[in-house]
Amino acid sequence: MTTAWDAIVIGAGHNGLVCAAYLARAGKKVLVLERRDIVGGAAVSEEIAPGYRASTASYLISLLLPDVERELELARHGYQVLPRNPSSFTPLPDGRSLLMGPDAELNRREIARFSARDADAYPRYEAWLTRIAEALEPVLEDIPPELLPLPANLRRRGFLEQWRNLRRALRFHRSLKTLGDDLPTALELLTGPATPILERWFESAALRATLATDAIIGAMAPPSAAGTGYVLLHHVMGVAGGARGVWGYVEGGMGALSAALRRSAEHAGVTIRTGAPVAQIEHIGGRALAVRLASGERIAAPRIVSNATPAVTFLQLLGADALPAAFRAAAERIDYSSAVMKINLALSELPDFSCRPGKDAVGPQHRGTIHISPTLDYIERAYADARLGEPSREPVVELTLPTSVDRTLAPPGHHIAQLFVQYAPYRLAEGNWDERAEAFAERCIDAVGAYAPNFRASVLHRQVLSPLELERRFALTGGNIFHGAMPLHQLFGFRPVPGWGDYRTPLRGLYLCGAGAHPGGGVSGAPGRNAARVLLQDS
Ligand SMILES: Cc1cc2nc3c(=O)[nH]c(=O)nc-3n(C[C@H](O)[C@H](O)[C@H](O)COP(=O)(O)OP(=O)(O)OC[C@H]3O[C@@H](n4cnc5c(N)ncnc54)[C@H](O)[C@@H]3O)c2cc1C
């Protein structure tokens, strides 16, 4: 059968664009179909009020693979990172505060105000995390090996595939070997809870809580839960923000990265159609062969790559008979539990923090992520409410002011505030998010206002994205920002389901290229790049 396209990519999230660009650069004719009117998925900049643009969903860059940036020539296509220094500010109820960032001397000085012991330990902690991150980076950037004796009804591999898998397993083993003496603590970090690790390293409540926020991002779990150590590690893997673990802004917001990816993909020959939701993946004899759009239009291609979540791909776009029962049952078990809400605000002035006054000029307290989460107990309590189906009475808020370094987003003197909020459980015990989102947003604004009294009055416009709204707007199943939670049993060769970590699916010709595949969520481009490699191997 001849078709106009070698491959169709469903979804123009950043991973879909990355995948399409690599395929086109390898000479494939690629069509990308996006349901929304703009590309980028969860990496977009949108106007929240006339003259005010925010990164509506993701807002900080760090995980983007340097290879993706270089190979797709993103700088040439307009991508630019604005580093943040300091990168974190934690105001405290007792009037003190903690500033941290890429400057080692600043960190030492700031932490020493709380504990001389912690100031001494912090560089060693950073060095330890860096060693583990560097040892595991090749594993995370590679196609993951399958290490389990899986039953044949889940995955059967041909000889060539077994051989490739063996080579991946050896590379995996080699990476682990480079951990040396760090292996036992790395294992704890990969599988265990973050809290005991942070409590062993540090005694200061403010420092523990500031670092713990990285361990709960996107998770419906408190830092005392197993698996949060990995989330902590995941968030120090990247260097795209200017230094390891230091997150930067993209000039023009996250949409500017997607715009650069779009230009790179189109330059390589990719065709992108927006406003083109795919309603169905058609298949025959165990092979995917076409997509049908919601409009009824049918487009055929020998390879179909889905950037949508595994739930959308396997349970919505395919009929119940399309996949082997064991695979479908595993796909139905994927955990999408999530508790993220995003609030984007247009401000008439900068927040004036009581513990570090100043609103007429950008100060160090405005540049980084502002953590409203003073202690580990505060975070645990915030989670405990959500566990019972209630939005936190005292929410954990990460506030960013991208206009502190990027003047392209708001009129002169005005600012954009982005509140990444936890815990807002997708499943509420009472009522629904359409009724309750605004009241919870009020609570979050008050949580910031407790430290910056002018905050509430400075809000000119607001956009409130509850977990339900994140699902509707971005097609994020369950509102989960990572296309699926990231506990160990949903990582590496187990993502999206055990045995299928290599971007293939039981339907020949159908691949996954989004965050629901290894190495998971975040704006990394890794699933898109790896999926393209696998598809090209199969071509
Ligand atoms: C509120 C929020 C804050 C975040 N903050 C950060 C951050 O600061 N830094 C960071 O690194 N990560 C962050 N993340 C996570 C990160 O944004 C995501 O994990 C990542 O962008 C996922 O990229 P993706 O390309 O795999 O999928 P997506 O971005 O979800 O893209 C999938 C695309 O597929 C499209 N699609 C779905 N179904 C169909 C269909 N049937 N037909 C056609 N198109 C379809 C969607 O519209 C979408 O465009 C955040 C996410 C959220 C939601």
Side-chain angles (χ1 to χ4, degrees), residues 5 24-25 28-31 263-271:
W5 307 105
R25 289 165 80 97
K28 302 290 176 198
K29 282 177 289 173
V30 187
L31 172 66
R263 281 193 280 274
S264 174
E266 287 180 335
H267 185 72
V270 172
T271 300

Side-chain angles (χ1 to χ4, degrees), residues 282-487:
E282 293 187 357
H283 56 97
I284 193 162
R287 168 171 277 285
L289 76 168
V291 298
R292 193 167 290 278
L293 303 190
S295 62
E297 184 185 353
R298 181 178 183 277
I299 310 172
R303 314 265 175 218
I304 294 167
V305 193
S306 178
N307 183 200
T309 68
V312 170
T313 308
F314 301 130
L315 307 178
Q316 286 179 25
L317 301 184
L318 287 167
D321 61 340
L323 298 161
F327 182 92
R328 192 176 160 93
E332 283 170 347
R333 280 195 301 271
I334 296 174
D335 176 9
Y336 290 92
S337 56
S338 181
V340 170
M341 173 141 144
K342 182 83 190 298
I343 305 168
N344 300 307
L345 306 173
L347 303 182
S348 60
E349 62 181 3
L350 286 162
D352 192 4
F353 291 94
S354 310
C355 58
R356 247 181 198 270
K359 66 180 172 69
D360 297 331
V362 171
Q365 69 275 28
H366 297 123
R367 283 189 211 115
T369 299
I370 297 153
H371 298 273
I372 309 296
S373 54
T375 64
L376 285 173
D377 283 347
Y378 179 100
I379 303 175
E380 292 286 331
R381 281 198 306 275
Y383 168 75
D385 291 339
R387 171 92 185 76
L388 299 175
E390 274 303 307
S392 307
R393 276 167 289 184
E394 293 182 298
V396 173
V397 179
E398 297 203 2
L399 166 66
T400 43
L401 302 159
T403 37
S404 61
V405 296
D406 182 352
R407 289 309 320 166
T408 68
L409 303 171
H414 285 206
H415 288 273
I416 294 291
Q418 299 164 159
L419 283 72
F420 183 89
V421 179
Q422 289 186 226
Y423 297 88
Y426 176 78
R427 285 181 211 296
L428 289 168
E430 275 177 40
N432 64 58
W433 272 114
D434 289 333
E435 296 160 3
R436 300 193 59 185
E438 288 296 327
F440 186 52
E442 288 288 312
R443 203 182 298 165
C444 298
I445 290 170
D446 283 342
V448 178
Y451 297 94
N454 71 330
F455 191 62
R456 169 171 288 284
S458 72
V459 176
L460 301 172
H461 306 281
R462 68 186 187 187
Q463 176 193 53
V464 178
L465 301 175
S466 71
L468 183 63
E469 192 52 33
L470 290 176
E471 180 175 62
R472 287 182 187 140
R473 181 179 279 244
F474 299 108
L476 292 168
T477 305
N480 188 294
I481 71 168
F482 297 142
H483 287 202
M486 304 223 295

